[in-house]
Amino acid sequence: MAIFIGIYVTLLGLTVGSFLNVVGLRIPAGESLLHPPSKCPKCGARLKSLDLIPVLSYLLARGKCRHCGTRVSPVYPFGEAITGVLFLVMYLKFGPTFEGITGMLLVCLSVTITVSDIRYMLIPDKVLLFFAPLFLLLVPFMADVPLWHHLLGALSGGGVLFLLALFGGMGIGDVKLFALLGWVIGWPNVILAFLIACSLGAAVGGILQLFGTIQRRQPVPFGPFLALGALLSFLFGPDIISAYLSFIG
């Protein structure tokens, strides 16, 4: 039975991931989520059901539009696949609990803003405002962590990035995002998430500069790294922090 539930959760994640791609691409552009129907951005051909199967359609078409042969961005299948995998991870880690539901919503937020920030260098307020009430309602029902930890996480997460934004090192969208993420993961996980985000951001930025993909001082979307740091902290934060304290102690 557990295997069938795991398969169902994964398929659900793949399907949701496909929709999150649409949200991340259309909301920042001010477009409707329903109209027009999905189409090839190059030739304008409307996508059929065969073109909309998460991950599988991309693989069967070898990463190209079936109509004009234009290469399709790998962001689409990656967003679908990572959502499916992370849905399964959240289910295996927390089961059908408030933590599990919150974790899946955290995955949805992370995938959406990653697509949006990579494409437009923008974290839309509409996306944050959709998820904020859900997290505000769910977090108090999560077990074992006092509510003031989450309040401190929101204040410290948003506060640190706000100070960086004053000096031009961060966008205001990142500030709002990390305040919301801080509310979800709480204190002291928010510190770990920030350190992970900065480390990964610096490493990826350095590699991109090394290969000439970006130029020195060229802005790099930081939202995806904040989201990844929050996800890792949500899943493994207490274990990582305990291991570190044991190591230095």
Side-chain angles (χ1 to χ4, degrees):
M1 185 66 177
I3 295 177
F4 290 109
I5 295 176
I7 293 173
Y8 172 78
V9 169
T10 304
L11 293 176
L12 175 64
L14 291 171
T15 304
V16 170
S18 182
F19 177 69
L20 298 178
N21 279 330
V22 175
V23 175
L25 291 171
R26 291 196 178 190
I27 290 296
E31 299 175 353
S32 168
L33 297 179
L34 301 177
H35 301 286
S38 297
K39 61 182 181 180
C40 173
K42 182 69 174 179
C43 67
R46 181 173 175 176
L47 302 185
K48 308 290 186 181
S49 299
L50 185 62
D51 302 305
L52 298 173
I53 304 172
V55 180
L56 186 59
S57 291
Y58 181 87
L59 296 176
L60 291 175
R62 299 182 180 179
K64 298 179 181 179
C65 171
R66 289 194 303 116
H67 306 278
C68 67
T70 300
R71 187 155 294 280
V72 177
S73 171
V75 168
Y76 295 103
F78 180 77
E80 295 164 351
I82 199 65
T83 305
V85 170
L86 288 176
F87 264 41
L88 179 61
V89 170
M90 291 296 177
Y91 174 75
L92 293 176
K93 175 77 173 180
F94 300 109
T97 63
F98 282 109
E99 286 85 352
I101 296 171
T102 303
M104 291 180 186
L105 282 174
L106 183 60
V107 172
C108 293
L109 171 61
S110 299
V111 172
T112 304
I113 65 96
T114 294
V115 172
S116 173
D117 210 12
I118 289 175
R119 177 67 183 269
Y120 301 104
M121 288 286 291
L122 178 67
I123 299 174
D125 286 341
K126 287 184 179 180
V127 173
L128 298 179
L129 288 173
F130 174 82
F131 283 97
L134 300 176
F135 287 131
L136 286 172
L137 289 173
L138 284 170
V139 163
F141 292 98
M142 291 170 59
D144 301 330
V145 179
L147 192 59
W148 70 267
H149 279 222
H150 295 281
L151 290 171
L152 184 56
L155 291 173
S156 57
V160 168
L161 262 66
F162 180 72
L163 292 176
L164 293 174
L166 291 178
F167 295 96
M170 203 68 58
I172 197 65
D174 295 317
V175 177
K176 299 173 187 176
L177 172 64
F178 205 44
L180 182 57
L181 294 176
W183 165 256
V184 177
I185 62 179
W187 180 274
N189 286 339
V190 68
I191 300 175
L192 177 63
F194 181 69
L195 293 175
I196 292 173
C198 290
S199 300
L200 291 176
V204 171
I207 293 172
L208 292 176
Q209 285 186 32
L210 182 64
F211 285 95
T213 306
I214 63 172
Q215 304 300 316
R216 184 178 175 83
R217 297 187 180 279
Q218 181 177 339
V220 175
F222 195 53
F225 299 109
L226 291 172
L228 180 55
L231 285 168
L232 291 174
S233 297
F234 186 84
L235 285 165
F236 310 113
D239 297 329
I240 295 174
I241 293 172
S242 296
Y244 175 73
L245 293 177
S246 299
F247 177 74
I248 65 174

